Amino acid sequence: MTNFTFLRPVLWTENLDETILFYTSILGFTVLGKNEDWQWASLRKDDVQIMFSKPNDHEKFDKIGCTGSFYFNVNNVDGLWEDLKTKAEVCYEIETFEWEMREFAVYDNNGYILQFGQPVE
């Protein structure tokens, strides 16, 4: 049986430098690697890693988009909300939901929805 050990999504962007700036200056990620020729970068914050790239010529590319969202579990959702609510476009404000998660969501510079949540104790 094969064990899956890690998921690191590769998200498309039309502006790699703008995306790196959003994730490093607003969310506190660091750049692990970047290749200008490939228009690719790998970023990390704590245990989370995301790669970004411009779509390759062989990929069917119409526009940047995602049919879902990216959910980040954090340990201080209220503090993060206070920090991000004026720095990023808000998708929905912080709220405690019936499934016992306190969460909110913002859009990144590409329009991807980034949700941040913490279990309610």
Side-chain angles (χ1 to χ4, degrees):
M1 176 180 240
T2 300
N3 292 327
F4 288 40
T5 60
F6 192 72
L7 173 66
R8 182 172 40 166
V10 180
L11 305 178
W12 289 348
T13 181
E14 293 183 291
N15 189 322
L16 185 62
D17 290 332
E18 182 181 288
T19 298
I20 290 171
L21 183 63
F22 179 90
Y23 279 81
T24 57
S25 67
I26 294 179
L27 296 179
F29 278 71
T30 58
V31 177
L32 293 177
K34 181 180 178 186
N35 186 302
E36 291 287 345
D37 293 336
W38 303 339
Q39 284 294 287
W40 167 90
S42 179
L43 296 106
R44 177 181 180 181
K45 180 168 176 72
D46 304 319
D47 292 332
V48 175
Q49 291 186 28
I50 305 172
M51 293 184 286
F52 292 95
S53 73
K54 284 197 169 185
N56 294 326
D57 291 337
H58 66 274
E59 295 169 314
K60 294 179 183 176
F61 174 71
D62 180 37
K63 65 179 180 168
I64 299 296
C66 177
T67 59
S69 63
F70 299 93
Y71 197 98
F72 299 83
N73 288 71
V74 298
N75 65 355
N76 183 5
V77 72
D78 288 291
L80 187 60
W81 165 250
E82 289 302 318
D83 183 47
L84 293 183
K85 68 183 180 181
T86 59
K87 294 180 180 177
E89 181 184 352
V90 174
C91 178
Y92 64 88
E93 295 185 3
I94 195 160
E95 184 177 343
T96 301
F97 290 92
E98 63 188 55
W99 49 86
E100 299 182 352
M101 289 296 285
R102 185 154 175 78
E103 61 186 59
F104 69 94
V106 299
Y107 296 98
D108 81 352
N109 64 299
N110 301 292
Y112 295 119
I113 298 172
L114 310 178
Q115 294 176 268
F116 301 91
Q118 179 178 5
V120 176
E121 310 231 356

